[in-house]
């Protein structure tokens, strides 16, 4: 049995691919793999807005070593990450990894659930694989549902359909759960999804470079390399 820890941070980039890979790993390897999900506060919000939060239970269905551990519910000393020092996990995969979390890890900061997990894993000799979102050049990231004001007639159908009262002038991403009901009821195609092109900053590029040279950490350039890495620990 491979005992995997999955660290999720608040990035939309690579999020769906990572989810799909973990879901597939559970389907393919079944009881041979257990996955504990370590979810940053931002990841909880971001996975929800992309409609993926509820799907976490397909990967971490509950029970010891298969829990969804939410940063929001942890204390400041993150006692759950002590598991990495006790040799309980075979590997920690962090994907997607925000530029914020990459910066912290590159500078030895461990004051959040995921950065603390990485620090403990390295100290405990647990393999750590990290997929940064901002590596070099530019990245094309998905954006969650938004209202195109040029097409919106203000009919309020979407606001009435929303089960979370998340729609006013725009969609409130702290309430939206990405269900897409608003899009379904809109006759004007005003609820849209899309992508944005973002330039990777030098500071983020340099932080990734620093991590490539860091002890105990392997940088994966995209989530698809995860499968190969997983096979090394199964
Ligand atoms: C919808 C949405 C998508 C985001 N996508 C990214 C992203 O792709 N990359 C990134 O570095 N930050 C992204 N962020 C910002 C992070 O969530 C934010 O910097 C957060 O503080 C990161 O915290 P964490 O590193 O502890 O998860 C996104 C925020 C939102 C609301």
């Amino acid at each position: 049995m491979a005992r995997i820890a999955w660290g999720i941070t608040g990035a939309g980039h690579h999020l769906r691919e990572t989810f799909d890979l973990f879901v597939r790993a559970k389907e393919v390897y079944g009881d041979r793999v257990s996955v504990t999900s370590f979810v940053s506060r931002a990841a909880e919000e971001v996975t929800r807005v992309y409609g993926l939060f509820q799907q976490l239970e397909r990967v971490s269905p509950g029970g010891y070593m298969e829990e969804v551990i939410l940063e929001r519910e942890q204390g400041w000393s993150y006692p759950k990450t002590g598991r990495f020092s006790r040799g309980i996990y075979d590997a920690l995969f962090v994907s997607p990894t925000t530029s914020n979390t990459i910066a912290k890890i590159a500078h030895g900061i461990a004051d959040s659930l995921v950065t603390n997990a990485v620090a403990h894993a390295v100290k405990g000799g647990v393999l750590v694989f990290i997929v940064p979102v901002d590596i070099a050049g530019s990245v094309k990231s998905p954006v969650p549902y938004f209202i195109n004001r040029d097409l919106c007639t203000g009919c309020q159908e979407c606001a009435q359909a929303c089960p979370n009262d998340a729609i006013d002038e725009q969609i409130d991403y702290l309430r939206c759960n990405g269900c897409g009901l608003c899009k379904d009821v809109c006759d004007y195609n005003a609820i849209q999804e899309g992508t944005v092109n973002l330039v990777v900053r030098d500071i983020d590029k340099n932080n990734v470079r620093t991590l490539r040279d860091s002890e105990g950490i392997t940088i994966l350039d995209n989530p698809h390399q995860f499968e190969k890495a997983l096979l090394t620990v199964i």
Side-chain angles (χ1 to χ4, degrees):
M1 148 90 77
R3 296 152 310 171
I4 306 299
W6 176 21
I8 315 173
T9 66
H13 192 62
H14 287 330
L15 182 62
R16 194 169 291 276
E17 300 98 293
T18 307
F19 254 84
D20 290 347
L21 287 164
F22 269 90
V23 168
R24 201 167 64 228
K26 281 299 288 181
E27 283 168 5
V28 172
Y29 299 108
D31 289 347
R32 290 169 59 203
V33 177
S34 75
V35 181
T36 310
S37 300
F38 290 80
V39 185
S40 82
R41 279 183 173 78
E44 188 179 343
E45 295 170 5
V46 171
T47 52
R48 188 167 280 128
V49 93
Y50 286 102
L52 293 168
F53 185 74
Q54 297 305 330
Q55 293 191 35
L56 265 177
E57 65 187 25
R58 293 173 68 190
V59 178
S60 299
Y64 184 56
M65 301 295 289
E66 296 199 286
E67 313 101 310
V68 174
I69 296 176
L70 301 177
E71 180 171 41
R72 178 172 53 82
E73 296 175 349
Q74 304 306 303
W76 289 107
S77 56
Y78 304 110
K80 289 264 169 36
T81 64
R83 290 181 185 180
F84 293 97
S85 317
R86 300 203 306 274
I88 288 174
Y89 293 109
D90 297 306
L92 166 63
F93 288 87
V94 186
S95 179
T97 318
T98 58
S99 45
N100 171 62
T101 288
I102 290 289
K104 288 186 175 188
I105 299 169
H107 289 85
I109 296 170
D111 68 349
S112 64
L113 178 65
V114 174
T115 58
N116 200 267
V118 170
H120 275 279
V122 172
K123 289 182 195 176
V126 177
L127 295 171
V128 178
F129 299 90
I130 294 180
V131 181
V133 291
D134 290 338
I135 296 183
S138 63
V139 292
K140 196 172 176 183
S141 290
V143 285
Y145 292 119
F146 65 93
I147 301 176
N148 182 332
R149 305 299 316 178
D150 293 336
L151 299 176
C152 176
T153 62
C155 73
Q156 297 297 313
E157 287 287 334
C158 58
Q160 280 156 23
C162 177
N164 299 309
D165 204 12
I167 302 183
D168 193 0
E169 286 296 304
Q170 263 302 343
I171 298 174
D172 181 346
Y173 290 151
L174 294 181
R175 288 173 176 259
C176 172
N177 69 359
C179 69
L181 279 176
C182 53
K183 186 177 168 66
D184 295 344
V185 299
C186 179
D187 290 332
Y188 307 96
N189 287 326
I191 309 283
Q192 300 183 342
E193 294 169 279
T195 53
V196 282
N197 249 337
L198 302 170
V199 173
V200 174
R201 300 177 304 175
D202 284 346
I203 191 166
D204 297 325
K205 218 185 306 179
N206 291 338
N207 286 333
V208 171
R209 214 171 282 148
T210 301
L211 279 190
R212 284 191 198 277
D213 296 333
S214 292
E215 58 182 327
I217 291 176
T218 302
I219 294 291
L220 304 178
D221 289 334
N222 61 65
H224 298 285
Q225 294 178 356
F226 155 73
E227 269 179 319
K228 217 163 41 175
L230 183 64
L231 286 177
T232 65
V233 290
I234 282 186

